[in-house]
Amino acid sequence: MAAAVLLVVAGCTGDSAAPTTSSTTPSTSTTEPTTSSTTTTATTSTTDPLSDVEAEVEAAYLRSYEVFVECYRTLPDCDPNEVFPEVYAPPTLAAQILGVLQTKDEGLVYGPPEDPDHARTEVFEIRVDDDSTMAVVTYCTFAADQEYSVNANGDRTQTDDNGSVLVEWGDAAMLLGDDGVWRLSEFVDETGEVVEFPLDELDQRLSEGKLCGGLLDG
């Protein structure tokens, strides 16, 4: 299925301690991924400003999405062993590296969709624990990147495009490393779902403001 690999659900899942403080933000990452440092500036809500820690967590989560997408879009050149430790921690680090290596072995590469609205991630809530070393990010991600197979002569052939977008939502656990950098450690089990929407239905939902915020209502 085109673009399925670009869902963050590829990471490991597991239980995570529930932090006690929370803040909500509608931040979105829609721009083309870059290879800048982890200190990406986070967008904050004007009605419910983020604390400094929450802003750092949000920026780290959005950065993990950018690095993930950039790696798949620059295959086969991307080395996940080099770029993923910047934004991922165990146990999901190993799973994300393995996913890229398997994709390389299959001779697949990816490119962005025609409509950038169909490939992005949004943050809806950040919950930080009392000592500010663990956090949970509630996210929603659209995966619509186009998938291509690389032929023996180097030509690229687009795989079957079924005119749909995968939408995933759930919780991601973040850990503060000894180096002071927040990294995504795992996707919390049983907190979300993955649904495939036809493009016409997706666009209708977007126009009604149901994605991602109203996704669970639909």
Side-chain angles (χ1 to χ4, degrees):
M1 180 182 299
V5 71
L6 295 186
L7 278 177
V8 294
V9 77
C12 296
T13 59
D15 295 331
S16 175
T20 56
T21 61
S22 66
S23 177
T24 303
T25 174
S27 297
T28 307
S29 179
T30 58
T31 57
E32 287 297 308
T34 65
T35 55
S36 60
S37 66
T38 312
T39 56
T40 304
T41 302
T43 303
T44 59
S45 168
T46 56
T47 58
D48 188 11
L50 298 177
S51 70
D52 290 343
V53 174
E54 289 165 344
E56 291 175 3
V57 171
E58 180 186 59
Y61 171 79
L62 294 176
R63 179 64 185 150
S64 72
Y65 172 80
E66 292 175 351
V67 171
F68 180 88
V69 174
E70 174 72 9
C71 186
Y72 276 94
R73 289 183 183 177
T74 56
L75 289 177
D77 297 329
C78 176
D79 181 359
N81 288 289
E82 179 180 345
V83 298
F84 279 1
E86 172 193 345
V87 294
Y88 292 114
T92 202
L93 173 61
Q96 300 290 19
I97 291 174
L98 179 60
V100 173
L101 296 180
Q102 289 176 335
T103 300
K104 282 187 176 184
D105 289 343
E106 294 170 359
L108 299 176
V109 295
Y110 290 83
E114 294 183 3
D115 187 341
D117 279 345
H118 297 159
R120 70 177 192 269
T121 193
E122 298 186 15
V123 172
F124 292 102
E125 186 177 23
I126 301 169
R127 305 185 298 281
V128 182
D129 70 352
D130 289 337
D131 61 2
S132 297
T133 59
M134 295 179 60
V136 174
V137 173
T138 299
Y139 66 87
C140 180
T141 298
F142 291 7
D145 277 31
Q146 297 300 307
E147 182 182 272
Y148 303 86
S149 61
V150 181
N151 303 324
N153 62 2
D155 292 339
R156 298 184 177 189
T157 302
Q158 185 171 352
T159 60
D160 183 37
D161 182 4
N162 58 8
S164 63
V165 174
L166 294 176
V167 181
E168 178 196 16
W169 64 95
D171 289 340
M174 309 286 292
L175 291 179
L176 181 65
D178 293 338
D179 56 359
V181 175
W182 286 94
R183 293 178 175 87
L184 199 163
S185 64
E186 57 186 331
F187 296 95
V188 182
D189 197 15
E190 299 180 353
T191 62
E193 191 173 350
V194 179
V195 177
E196 184 174 353
F197 287 99
L199 286 178
D200 54 353
E201 181 178 347
L202 180 78
D203 289 335
Q204 178 64 30
R205 284 174 173 263
L206 284 170
S207 68
E208 295 172 351
K210 291 184 178 180
L211 290 176
C212 289
L215 182 62
L216 299 181
D217 300 331

